[in-house]
Amino acid sequence: MEAHSDIRLLVKIGKQYFEEGLTQQEIANNLRTSRSTVSRLLSRARNEHLVQISVKVPPGLYPELEREMEC
């Protein structure tokens, strides 16, 4: 299992990026780390299902069908 401090960091970075709208560089500056480290941590947060991204598709739009027709 993940260390509690690791999970807290992943949640903190996820909230700053997706909820507060900070850039990866701003988060990196705040944490005194690199932007690439923040990027890796955001990916890890998604892989561990701490961050979930969804797109709400309005009724009448069919992006999957459009994608299939483009191929």
Side-chain angles (χ1 to χ4, degrees):
M1 175 149 197
E2 293 285 329
H4 189 68
S5 60
D6 288 348
I7 293 172
R8 286 183 59 218
L9 177 61
L10 295 176
V11 169
K12 177 180 180 176
I13 289 173
K15 288 183 77 59
Q16 287 180 352
Y17 186 72
F18 291 105
E19 292 182 359
E20 298 173 24
L22 272 65
T23 66
Q24 291 182 15
Q25 188 60 57
E26 289 170 328
I27 296 168
N29 292 344
N30 292 342
L31 297 176
R32 295 186 177 101
T33 190
S34 68
R35 191 209 50 81
S36 60
T37 296
V38 171
S39 178
R40 282 193 298 274
L41 291 169
L42 286 169
S43 293
R44 187 171 151 203
R46 287 180 64 192
N47 291 337
E48 296 187 18
H49 306 287
L50 297 170
V51 170
Q52 296 178 355
I53 301 170
S54 65
V55 176
K56 183 177 179 181
V57 180
L61 296 181
Y62 306 95
E64 292 83 12
L65 180 59
E66 290 176 15
R67 187 175 320 139
E68 288 177 21
M69 293 176 71
E70 291 172 352
C71 296

